[in-house]
Amino acid sequence: MAKSSVDLICSVAELAGLFEKGHGLESFLQKVVSVIAWHMKAAVCSVYMFDEEKQEVVLTANQGLNPGAIGKLRLKLGEGIVGRSLLELRPIMEGTSRNNPYFKYIPGIGEENYQAFLAVPILRGLTRVGVLAVQDPAFDYFDDNDAKALRAIATQLAGTIESAKLLMSLHGREEHSHVVPESMPVDIKFLHGTPGSSGTALGGSIVFDDELLDVSVEENLPAVSIDDFNKALDTTEEQLKKFQLDMEERLADIASLIFSAHLLILRDTEFSGAMLKLVEQGVHPAVAVSRVVEDFCRMFANSENTRLQEKVHDVRDLGSRILRNLTRVDRAMPDFSGSIIIAESLLPSDLVRMSAQKVGGIVLVSGGATAHLSILARSLDLPMIIVHDKRLLKLPANTPLIVDSEQGALFIRPDAEVVRNFELLQETKKKAAEIESTINPETCTSDGTVIRLLANINLLSDLDVAKRLKAEGIGLYRSEFPFVVRNDFPSEEEQYRVYKKLADGMPGREVVFRTLDIGGDKMLSYFQTGNEANPFLGLRAIRLSLRYRNIFAPQIRALLRAGVGGELRIMFPFVSSVDDFIEARDFVRECIVQLGHENIPHNNTPLFGIMVELPAAVEIIEELAYEVDFMSIGSNDLVQYILAVDRTNEKIADLYMPHHPAVLRSLKKIADAAQKFKKHLSICGDIASSKVMLPFLLGIGIKTLSVDIRRLAQVQQIVASIDITQARANAMAMLQCSRISEINALLETEKSKT
Ligand code: PEP
Ligand code: MG
């Protein structure tokens, strides 16, 4: 029978009418695929719906493939012919699908015997709705007329699907109710994710939500006296103090005050005092605890102040603890050690607390980890992965999970084979750790050019690792970390103690202290500067320090005091003009004068440096190089701002290209300026540990690298494989390229040689 496109379009139009008479979307789409398959004489017809939140297409209706794949088969935008058609908003027709570079074979769905493939995006304007696809075993089965017909149907479908979604939202139904069921189906074994902090972990799941911190109490409570109540408060206080002490041993710089909020609230008359009043009125102590905790939570949750809103977790945690100590029922937070925590979002302080409780790994199910939550997780050695799938929040407690954030993989109820692979991976890691122990104090290219290898650190605890791995110094200390994870500003004294430990920890070696880089995605919950529409372009880093001198002064004074008797290097982030730099340097000089008047020992002659991370700084790099003592390239931000690509936005991660010609030329300009003015230059952004970018960086004359402590050994090995003459020639060739594709080709050629 010949294919009948006109009939087909008419039939689909009729079906659309049927839908409007009250049929559900899925059954409507199922009828559509049958009608299309029938009229086109195609063996397979499918509709994939676009899941915008996850940026994936989901097989929603199908005829001809394994019916079990409906609702389960998911492809990333750009993945496979279907995903590619939707990404590029164009039909893709292939006589033999396997010849198409984007073809992706998916085992188990029964598409082995199909050759011809035609996929057409379903669009509403430029908005992605889904993909309509047909397949057939005959080679070259579809032609241009089929493509035209399918496009016409796709247009028709887009309107109908949109009305369906509107109707569903009016009736309060979930758009993709069949696609995103409430709980995780047991047959889902694997989910893709985005790495947040590398590492692997095997453990039972714990969903971190309000239920976990439930403070409701049952009826028929055992009798307890006022004495018991007071004892429970004392025990709670002791426990918290012990917790705090344990943490201080492990994480001296950030531990203090993590539990101080608990301690303060515990002894507050409005809190334990209010409980006591109720108890004296004859209310059962457990009921009194529960009532007051709920009142506090309501009050905090309704507060306009985000700092107070964040306290809800603290209060619930505290309430659960008191109840456990009072009733002896194990009802407080479960033992987190070795578990994999699943959460919608986490605060930095949650992460620190979880690390103290020796959590195995973290799975975040929505949003994204801010760049700095990921950095913090790395410093705490906590594997973390972001998997956009809220069904994970419904996983029963203690479901076995494997987090492999290096591969971006989450295994649910892994079978024996997966567990064996996990164990093998652990073995390989052990071996990698052994390689770390062979790290040399000196790093050289294959031709003997000496490269200085420094470490980036965020917490005091990173310092020991840096020393163990023979880092030649600290090229970047991100001083904002202790600020980010606390409940309020550390005092000058507290900062002094941290900076002193750092300065003393690397005697005779370079330690670069970067002043606060707050703002952007590193907001302090306890310090509000007002809402900003574009925080990455807002009151960030040195701008904030210069605006709020009362925050800047204690930091600078603490640094000057800690730098007594040694070389002190102070680096300002986010400098956009010579004026910014001079204003910040003048402020440090004022602090020096002030400390002198106060007779407080301090360093009189610090060296002043800047992070080069803004396009504006590149434009005026010679003037900046003339003024400063040293410079460090913050390529993480530099790439973001040159290309206008948010470094935390997964949707445009493919546009974040350190090898873009504009970035390469900027890097060269910075290296040239440093050479011309004989100023020390390093690079501390992530590209300093990139195998692809390192030859270019060395090729343009950068000789100091500052990298994440976990990359030191690897970077030393990569550097040892680079020939500097060759690297120079390649870098020059890359700089001649005007197109990204040409640079890609050069990089590919280089890769194939290694
Ligand atoms: C950078 O921007 O490259 C950098 C090292 O700083 P941060 O990642 O802290 O912004
Ligand atoms: Mg930066």
Side-chain angles (χ1 to χ4, degrees):
M1 212 193 298
K3 298 178 205 166
S4 153
S5 305
V6 178
D7 274 357
L8 169 57
I9 296 168
C10 294
S11 301
V12 173
E14 265 169 39
L15 278 177
L18 261 187
F19 170 73
E20 272 141 32
K21 291 194 187 101
H23 288 249
L25 182 61
E26 299 101 1
S27 61
F28 163 67
L29 291 177
Q30 198 51 51
K31 282 188 196 125
V32 169
V33 292
S34 315
V35 169
I36 296 175
W38 164 253
H39 282 276
M40 291 190 99
K41 309 281 173 292
V44 177
C45 180
S46 319
V47 172
Y48 293 78
M49 293 278 279
F50 184 50
D51 181 341
E52 191 162 5
E53 197 193 331
K54 293 187 193 149
Q55 295 285 295
E56 287 174 351
V57 285
V58 191
L59 181 65
T60 309
N62 170 267
Q63 168 143 325
L65 297 178
N66 178 354
I70 294 179
K72 288 189 195 128
L73 173 58
R74 286 178 165 266
L75 294 164
K76 291 245 170 284
L77 190 60
E79 196 182 9
I81 296 180
V82 166
R84 182 55 49 173
S85 158
L86 193 59
L87 175 72
E88 295 180 359
L89 308 178
R90 66 177 176 98
I92 299 182
M93 187 160 67
E94 205 56 71
T96 310
S97 53
R98 268 155 228 272
N99 289 347
N100 189 293
Y102 301 113
F103 175 76
K104 183 180 159 97
Y105 173 63
I106 297 153
I109 61 167
E111 64 170 2
E112 287 76 0
N113 301 323
Y114 303 124
Q115 306 298 338
F117 204 128
L118 171 59
V120 174
I122 308 172
L123 305 172
R124 193 75 174 151
L126 279 181
T127 306
R128 296 182 170 93
V129 176
V131 178
L132 183 57
V134 282
Q135 290 169 265
D136 199 79
F139 293 97
D140 291 319
Y141 183 69
F142 304 112
D143 58 23
D144 286 342
N145 280 339
D146 295 320
K148 268 189 214 146
L150 222 55
R151 279 174 94 154
I153 296 162
T155 311
Q156 175 104 38
L157 279 181
T160 312
I161 293 172
E162 189 167 84
S163 328
K165 286 183 169 180
L166 268 175
L167 270 177
M168 286 176 184
S169 63
L170 271 181
H171 297 306
R173 279 176 54 185
E174 271 265 43
E175 265 182 38
H176 298 301
S177 52
H178 73 291
V179 174
V180 189
E182 280 282 279
S183 10
M184 177 68 65
V186 273
D187 56 345
I188 294 199
K189 297 264 177 206
F190 172 83
L191 290 171
H192 263 298
T194 315
S197 152
S198 67
T200 45
L202 164 71
S205 62
I206 293 184
V207 175
F208 185 76
D209 59 9
D210 281 352
E211 244 171 68
L212 195 68
L213 303 169
D214 181 28
V215 288
S216 57
V217 287
E218 323 72 35
E219 286 166 14
N220 304 327
L221 290 159
V224 275
S225 64
I226 288 201
D227 264 3
D228 293 331
F229 172 68
N230 282 324
K231 261 190 224 144
L233 290 186
D234 290 344
T235 315
T236 307
E237 185 167 346
E238 274 162 36
Q239 285 168 346
L240 292 173
K241 283 186 176 156
K242 181 167 178 312
F243 226 153
Q244 179 92 23
L245 272 178
D246 289 349
M247 295 256 305
E248 272 171 21
E249 259 171 47
R250 287 185 60 212
L251 300 162
D253 45 350
I254 53 174
S256 59
L257 295 186
I258 291 281
F259 288 98
S260 71
H262 286 57
L263 283 163
L264 277 177
I265 298 168
L266 180 68
R267 287 303 173 197
D268 192 294
T269 48
E270 300 287 317
F271 188 75
S272 51
M275 292 173 187
L276 198 61
K277 249 191 219 150
L278 286 174
V279 175
E280 282 165 355
Q281 287 162 14
V283 176
H284 189 288
V287 177
V289 172
S290 173
R291 261 194 226 164
V292 173
V293 167
E294 289 300 356
D295 284 351
F296 261 68
C297 287
R298 219 168 300 126
M299 187 173 76
F300 286 162
N302 292 334
S303 159
E304 301 255 299
N305 183 332
T306 45
R307 188 183 164 195
L308 283 180
Q309 288 165 12
E310 290 177 3
K311 291 276 172 292
V312 171
H313 272 186
D314 287 342
V315 175
R316 286 198 177 279
D317 184 25
L318 182 58
S320 314
R321 248 172 229 292
I322 304 173
L323 284 176
R324 180 173 58 177
N325 291 326
L326 185 67
T327 58
R328 307 263 156 236
V329 177
D330 194 1
R331 55 170 304 133
M333 287 240 221
D335 181 5
F336 280 169
S337 69
S339 300
I340 311 278
I341 303 290
I342 302 171
E344 254 197 292
S345 63
L346 287 176
L347 303 172
S349 52
D350 290 328
L351 215 58
V352 175
R353 227 173 302 162
M354 286 173 181
S355 151
Q357 294 165 36
K358 310 234 170 14
V359 154
I362 309 271
V363 182
L364 284 181
V365 300
S366 63
T370 60
H372 288 80
L373 198 66
S374 298
I375 293 175
L376 179 62
R378 268 188 251 158
S379 278
L380 295 169
D381 232 349
L382 265 180
M384 181 163 84
I385 184 170
I386 300 108
V387 183
H388 290 278
D389 195 328
K390 292 195 176 165
R391 293 175 301 179
L392 285 166
L393 294 169
K394 299 279 173 203
L395 267 190
N398 239 342
T399 305
L401 298 177
I402 289 182
V403 173
D404 180 350
S405 56
E406 267 133 66
Q407 308 296 327
L410 175 70
F411 297 93
I412 304 162
R413 301 183 188 88
D415 54 29
E417 180 66 23
V418 176
V419 174
R420 210 167 26 253
N421 280 340
F422 170 79
E423 284 163 356
L424 281 177
L425 196 69
Q426 299 305 98
E427 279 299 306
T428 322
K429 280 194 163 167
K430 250 194 225 154
K431 287 197 189 118
E434 281 160 20
I435 298 178
E436 281 188 351
S437 64
T438 64
I439 194 165
N440 283 317
E442 195 176 68
T443 301
C444 297
T445 57
S446 63
D447 51 290
T449 309
V450 175
I451 301 297
R452 295 189 67 225
L453 190 52
L454 311 175
N456 289 352
I457 66 168
N458 311 311
L459 299 175
L460 260 183
S461 52
D462 295 339
L463 184 65
D464 288 337
V465 187
K467 284 201 276 190
R468 203 179 70 227
L469 297 176
K470 306 190 182 100
E472 293 175 62
I474 304 300
L476 170 67
Y477 167 59
R478 290 184 168 97
S479 70
E480 61 276 9
F481 270 82
F483 286 71
V484 171
V485 296
R486 292 169 50 117
N487 296 315
D488 60 11
F489 285 108
S491 64
E492 178 183 320
E493 221 35 53
E494 283 171 302
Q495 293 184 62
Y496 165 72
R497 282 200 293 272
V498 175
Y499 304 154
K500 182 94 181 90
K501 279 194 182 133
L502 278 168
D504 293 350
M506 284 257 167
R509 299 201 195 169
E510 170 176 340
V511 177
V512 178
F513 291 90
R514 179 174 78 182
T515 62
L516 286 179
D517 184 0
I518 292 168
D521 67 342
K522 284 171 282 184
M523 303 310 289
L524 303 181
S525 58
Y526 49 88
F527 179 64
Q528 314 284 320
T529 52
N531 274 347
E532 292 183 289
N534 292 302
F536 274 108
L537 305 181
L539 194 57
R540 185 185 159 180
I542 196 65
R543 297 176 181 173
L544 186 133
S545 297
L546 290 173
R547 179 79 59 91
Y548 295 98
R549 308 275 167 131
N550 53 337
I551 299 173
F552 202 22
Q555 171 164 59
I556 295 299
R557 287 170 58 96
L559 281 173
L560 292 167
R561 289 171 54 200
V564 168
E567 183 193 74
L568 174 64
R569 288 174 176 259
I570 300 178
M571 178 161 73
F572 305 120
F574 222 62
V575 167
S576 64
S577 61
V578 177
D579 311 60
D580 276 353
F581 170 72
I582 290 180
E583 199 178 339
R585 185 179 61 191
D586 285 350
F587 183 73
V588 176
R589 289 182 175 157
E590 280 168 31
C591 291
I592 293 176
V593 172
Q594 205 181 44
L595 284 167
H597 288 324
E598 293 169 31
N599 277 330
I600 298 176
H602 61 277
N603 185 310
N604 261 321
T605 52
L607 295 173
F608 294 100
I610 55 166
M611 296 277 292
V612 184
E613 52 187 347
L614 296 181
V618 179
E619 269 309 304
I620 53 165
I621 195 65
E622 293 212 348
E623 288 90 332
L624 282 167
Y626 173 78
E627 286 294 337
V628 303
D629 296 315
F630 65 93
M631 307 193 283
S632 190
I633 303 174
S635 53
N636 301 343
D637 278 315
L638 188 61
V639 174
Q640 151 166 279
Y641 291 114
I642 289 183
L643 301 181
V645 175
D646 179 346
R647 65 194 254 193
T648 65
N649 184 346
E650 268 179 65
K651 288 187 191 161
I652 45 170
D654 58 331
L655 301 179
Y656 188 90
M657 282 180 281
H659 59 282
H660 188 292
V663 178
L664 298 186
R665 290 177 205 179
S666 300
L667 293 170
K668 173 78 164 72
K669 205 167 161 183
I670 303 166
D672 288 350
Q675 261 158 28
K676 180 168 171 187
F677 291 92
K678 299 198 171 34
K679 296 294 164 73
H680 181 235
L681 175 70
S682 67
I683 177 157
C684 60
D686 289 349
I687 61 169
S689 52
S690 148
K691 192 169 179 186
V692 177
M693 291 299 293
L694 266 168
F696 177 82
L697 299 175
L698 302 195
I700 57 169
I702 296 178
K703 293 219 167 70
T704 304
L705 309 170
S706 189
V707 304
D708 190 291
I709 38 177
R710 283 148 209 92
R711 309 299 298 269
L712 284 163
Q714 221 175 334
V715 171
Q716 185 168 75
Q717 281 186 349
I718 301 172
V719 169
S721 70
I722 297 174
D723 175 86
I724 206 83
T725 317
Q726 185 63 45
R728 265 187 217 129
N730 288 347
M732 291 313 125
M734 282 165 77
L735 286 163
Q736 300 304 316
C737 298
S738 52
R739 295 193 185 186
I740 301 163
S741 53
E742 292 166 1
I743 298 171
N744 274 332
L746 279 178
L747 291 172
E748 277 302 316
T749 321
E750 277 316 296
K751 208 163 98 191
S752 62
K753 287 188 197 157
T754 56

Short mmCIF file of all heavy atoms in Angstrom, two decimals, residues 372 375 476 478 480 514 517 522 540 611 613 633-637 647 684-685, ligand 1:
data_model
loop_
_atom_site.label_atom_id
_atom_site.label_comp_id
_atom_site.label_asym_id
_atom_site.label_seq_id
_atom_site.Cartn_x
_atom_site.Cartn_y
_atom_site.Cartn_z
N HIS A 372 30.86 26.92 44.80
CA HIS A 372 31.59 26.86 46.05
C HIS A 372 31.10 25.76 46.98
O HIS A 372 31.85 25.28 47.80
CB HIS A 372 31.68 28.24 46.68
CG HIS A 372 32.64 29.07 45.88
ND1 HIS A 372 32.25 29.67 44.72
CD2 HIS A 372 33.97 29.27 46.01
CE1 HIS A 372 33.32 30.26 44.18
NE2 HIS A 372 34.36 30.03 44.93
N ILE A 375 33.26 23.09 45.75
CA ILE A 375 34.65 23.25 46.21
C ILE A 375 34.75 22.84 47.68
O ILE A 375 35.68 22.15 48.09
CB ILE A 375 35.15 24.70 45.99
CG1 ILE A 375 35.27 24.97 44.48
CG2 ILE A 375 36.51 24.92 46.65
CD1 ILE A 375 35.63 26.40 44.13
N LEU A 476 46.98 29.80 45.98
CA LEU A 476 45.68 30.44 46.21
C LEU A 476 45.07 29.87 47.47
O LEU A 476 44.79 28.68 47.56
CB LEU A 476 44.73 30.15 45.03
CG LEU A 476 43.26 30.54 45.23
CD1 LEU A 476 43.10 32.06 45.33
CD2 LEU A 476 42.39 30.03 44.07
N ARG A 478 41.69 30.40 49.36
CA ARG A 478 40.38 31.06 49.20
C ARG A 478 39.88 31.42 50.60
O ARG A 478 39.21 30.61 51.25
CB ARG A 478 39.38 30.13 48.51
CG ARG A 478 39.67 29.87 47.04
CD ARG A 478 38.56 29.02 46.45
NE ARG A 478 38.59 28.93 45.01
CZ ARG A 478 39.14 27.94 44.31
NH1 ARG A 478 39.74 26.95 44.93
NH2 ARG A 478 39.08 27.93 42.99
N GLU A 480 37.57 33.06 51.77
CA GLU A 480 36.13 33.21 52.09
C GLU A 480 35.53 31.94 52.68
O GLU A 480 34.43 31.98 53.24
CB GLU A 480 35.33 33.63 50.85
CG GLU A 480 35.36 32.68 49.67
CD GLU A 480 36.58 32.88 48.77
OE1 GLU A 480 37.48 33.64 49.17
OE2 GLU A 480 36.64 32.25 47.71
N ARG A 514 44.27 35.14 49.29
CA ARG A 514 43.33 35.95 48.52
C ARG A 514 42.33 36.55 49.48
O ARG A 514 41.76 35.85 50.31
CB ARG A 514 42.61 35.09 47.49
CG ARG A 514 41.61 35.93 46.69
CD ARG A 514 40.98 35.15 45.58
NE ARG A 514 39.94 34.27 46.06
CZ ARG A 514 39.25 33.44 45.28
NH1 ARG A 514 39.55 33.38 43.99
NH2 ARG A 514 38.31 32.68 45.76
N ASP A 517 36.35 36.71 48.65
CA ASP A 517 35.64 36.70 47.36
C ASP A 517 34.20 36.28 47.64
O ASP A 517 33.78 35.18 47.33
CB ASP A 517 36.33 35.74 46.39
CG ASP A 517 35.70 35.78 45.01
OD1 ASP A 517 34.74 36.54 44.82
OD2 ASP A 517 36.16 35.04 44.13
N LYS A 522 28.55 32.90 46.12
CA LYS A 522 29.02 32.67 47.50
C LYS A 522 28.42 33.72 48.41
O LYS A 522 29.05 34.71 48.74
CB LYS A 522 30.55 32.80 47.54
CG LYS A 522 31.26 31.61 46.98
CD LYS A 522 32.74 31.88 46.85
CE LYS A 522 33.04 32.74 45.65
NZ LYS A 522 34.47 32.96 45.42
N ARG A 540 30.56 41.96 44.41
CA ARG A 540 31.31 40.74 44.65
C ARG A 540 32.77 41.07 44.96
O ARG A 540 33.30 42.06 44.48
CB ARG A 540 31.22 39.87 43.37
CG ARG A 540 31.85 38.53 43.52
CD ARG A 540 31.86 37.72 42.23
NE ARG A 540 32.91 36.72 42.41
CZ ARG A 540 33.24 35.82 41.52
NH1 ARG A 540 32.65 35.77 40.37
NH2 ARG A 540 34.21 34.96 41.78
N MET A 611 44.09 38.99 41.13
CA MET A 611 43.58 37.91 40.29
C MET A 611 43.23 38.57 38.96
O MET A 611 42.54 39.59 38.95
CB MET A 611 42.27 37.35 40.85
CG MET A 611 42.33 36.67 42.17
SD MET A 611 42.85 34.97 42.05
CE MET A 611 41.50 34.17 41.21
N GLU A 613 40.92 38.11 36.28
CA GLU A 613 39.77 37.25 35.99
C GLU A 613 38.63 38.00 35.33
O GLU A 613 37.54 37.47 35.18
CB GLU A 613 39.29 36.55 37.28
CG GLU A 613 39.03 37.45 38.46
CD GLU A 613 38.73 36.67 39.75
OE1 GLU A 613 38.48 35.47 39.69
OE2 GLU A 613 38.75 37.32 40.82
N ILE A 633 46.20 34.21 37.24
CA ILE A 633 45.07 34.18 36.31
C ILE A 633 43.95 33.32 36.90
O ILE A 633 44.15 32.13 37.16
CB ILE A 633 45.48 33.61 34.94
CG1 ILE A 633 46.63 34.43 34.35
CG2 ILE A 633 44.28 33.59 33.99
CD1 ILE A 633 47.21 33.86 33.08
N GLY A 634 42.80 33.94 37.13
CA GLY A 634 41.64 33.19 37.62
C GLY A 634 40.81 32.78 36.41
O GLY A 634 39.83 33.42 36.07
N SER A 635 41.23 31.71 35.78
CA SER A 635 40.60 31.36 34.49
C SER A 635 39.16 30.89 34.66
O SER A 635 38.37 30.99 33.73
CB SER A 635 41.42 30.31 33.77
OG SER A 635 41.63 29.21 34.62
N ASN A 636 38.79 30.40 35.85
CA ASN A 636 37.40 29.96 36.03
C ASN A 636 36.45 31.12 35.74
O ASN A 636 35.46 30.99 35.04
CB ASN A 636 37.14 29.47 37.46
CG ASN A 636 38.03 28.32 37.84
OD1 ASN A 636 38.62 27.68 36.98
ND2 ASN A 636 38.15 28.05 39.14
N ASP A 637 36.79 32.27 36.31
CA ASP A 637 35.95 33.44 36.07
C ASP A 637 36.29 34.10 34.75
O ASP A 637 35.39 34.60 34.06
CB ASP A 637 36.12 34.45 37.22
CG ASP A 637 35.25 34.07 38.40
OD1 ASP A 637 34.07 33.75 38.17
OD2 ASP A 637 35.74 34.08 39.55
N ARG A 647 29.48 30.00 34.76
CA ARG A 647 30.26 28.79 35.04
C ARG A 647 29.47 27.74 35.83
O ARG A 647 29.88 26.60 35.92
CB ARG A 647 31.56 29.14 35.78
CG ARG A 647 31.35 29.71 37.16
CD ARG A 647 32.62 30.34 37.72
NE ARG A 647 33.25 29.54 38.75
CZ ARG A 647 34.20 29.98 39.56
NH1 ARG A 647 34.66 31.22 39.44
NH2 ARG A 647 34.72 29.20 40.47
N CYS A 684 45.74 29.99 38.49
CA CYS A 684 45.14 29.18 39.57
C CYS A 684 43.73 28.68 39.24
O CYS A 684 43.09 28.04 40.05
CB CYS A 684 45.13 29.96 40.88
SG CYS A 684 44.20 31.49 40.80
N GLY A 685 43.24 28.97 38.03
CA GLY A 685 41.93 28.42 37.63
C GLY A 685 42.08 26.95 37.26
O GLY A 685 43.20 26.43 37.14
C1 PEP B 1 39.11 31.53 39.28
O1 PEP B 1 38.19 32.34 39.09
O2 PEP B 1 39.72 30.95 38.36
C2 PEP B 1 39.54 31.19 40.66
C3 PEP B 1 40.59 30.44 40.85
O3 PEP B 1 38.80 31.64 41.68
P1 PEP B 1 37.38 31.05 42.16
O4 PEP B 1 37.21 29.71 41.49
O5 PEP B 1 37.43 30.99 43.63
O6 PEP B 1 36.41 32.09 41.65
#
